[in-house]
Amino acid sequence: MVGYPKIRPRRLRQNKNIRDAVAETKLTHDNLILPIFVKEGISKPEEISSMPDVYRYPVGDPLIKFVEGNYSKGIRKVILFGIPSFKDNIASSAYQKDGVIQRSLKLLKETFGDKILLFADECTDEYTSHGHCGIVNYRGKQYYIDNDESLKVHAKIALSQAEAGADVIAPSSMMDGVVGAIREELDRNGFTDTLIMSYSVKYASVFYSPFREAASSAPAFGDRKSYQMDPRNANEAIKEARLDLEEGADILMVKPAHTYLDVIRLVKETYPEYPLAAYHVSGEYSMIKAAAINGWLNEKVAVLEITHAIRRAGADMILTYYAPKLAEWILEAS
Ligand code: PBG
């Protein structure tokens, strides 16, 4: 039939230049946030067995070199996770002036100044013997995570991180009111310009398992279902995001990312006026890595597809252990 079909979507897919011109989603270095584990008591980087190619860094030269290398590839944002050598019931190693995360923040701030935007994960799980994201109390023989007692500790940790040089505090505990408690403490101490990126919509997910090995932060008893969200819920994400915004969050986050693209889209459509981050978490990383190591799929193509999907869903920023690789792949493509 001559002249049929008239409308041919394939015209726009003929070659790379046309496809690039009409691509709806772009991925640049500005979209990436690199997570880094810093550990007390080691002298050289330690590979994390469940996360091949990801390392724990000592506070010192290897950390500086790693950040410098990524800076030269275009990475401008890093988020730090501390692994202390001392843990107790109240997370006191999380707010010491010379704690592992405070020393790391200080070192990076002194070395890089404002060249790097420094995020600090704010939580208690890596710093407590029980591994929970708050203070554990008992009613009779029944333990529970004491929300309001936890807020005091979270505010204290956040302040010590801001004092050490963090530009952005990222509370990941899912305690009710934690953003407001931190905002108030920061403001009271003159840190009115310190940003808060809240892990607003954080699910109780099995995909954090490799992270818990990496940070030795698996709960010693129970699970996180009384504070992290139920994976069966999507609308509840709107409530969590709204509360954090009312309490003063500057940036929202959905976590995990790849498994929750619908939630990313929902939060972005509900609050388009707020920047949204998404966390491509450890288990999501390790799944691709394992398949790639086995030769079951092409790692680069898989990671680029998934990362673009997270952007397409509505995330402005992506926290990903693939940031160092993505930074190279973006440079190659440009
Ligand atoms: C809590 C925290 C966790 C992650 C980031 N912050 C662990 C948890 O909630 O159990 C998980 C990140 C990942 O899996 O990559 N401090």
Side-chain angles (χ1 to χ4, degrees), residues 244-309:
D244 283 2
L245 292 173
E246 286 169 2
E247 290 172 29
D250 302 287
I251 304 170
L252 298 171
M253 192 205 295
V254 171
K255 178 186 172 194
H258 186 182
T259 335
Y260 294 85
L261 296 174
D262 58 327
V263 179
I264 294 173
R265 166 53 64 115
L266 178 64
V267 173
K268 192 61 189 178
E269 280 185 350
T270 311
Y271 299 108
E273 72 275 38
Y274 286 94
L276 178 62
Y279 200 145
H280 187 246
V281 299
S282 56
E284 295 177 316
Y285 171 89
S286 298
M287 283 196 295
I288 307 169
K289 202 72 190 174
I293 287 170
N294 278 289
W296 294 334
L297 45 73
N298 179 310
E299 183 175 35
K300 174 178 164 180
V301 180
V303 173
L304 284 169
E305 183 173 333
I306 290 166
T307 314
H308 277 94

Side-chain angles (χ1 to χ4, degrees), residues 17 28 69 87 116 128 132 183 228 255 261 280-281 302 304 323:
N17 283 338
T28 75
K87 303 185 185 216
I116 293 272
T128 48
H132 278 288
R183 186 70 274 162
Q228 298 179 345
K255 178 186 172 194
L261 296 174
H280 187 246
V281 299
L304 284 169

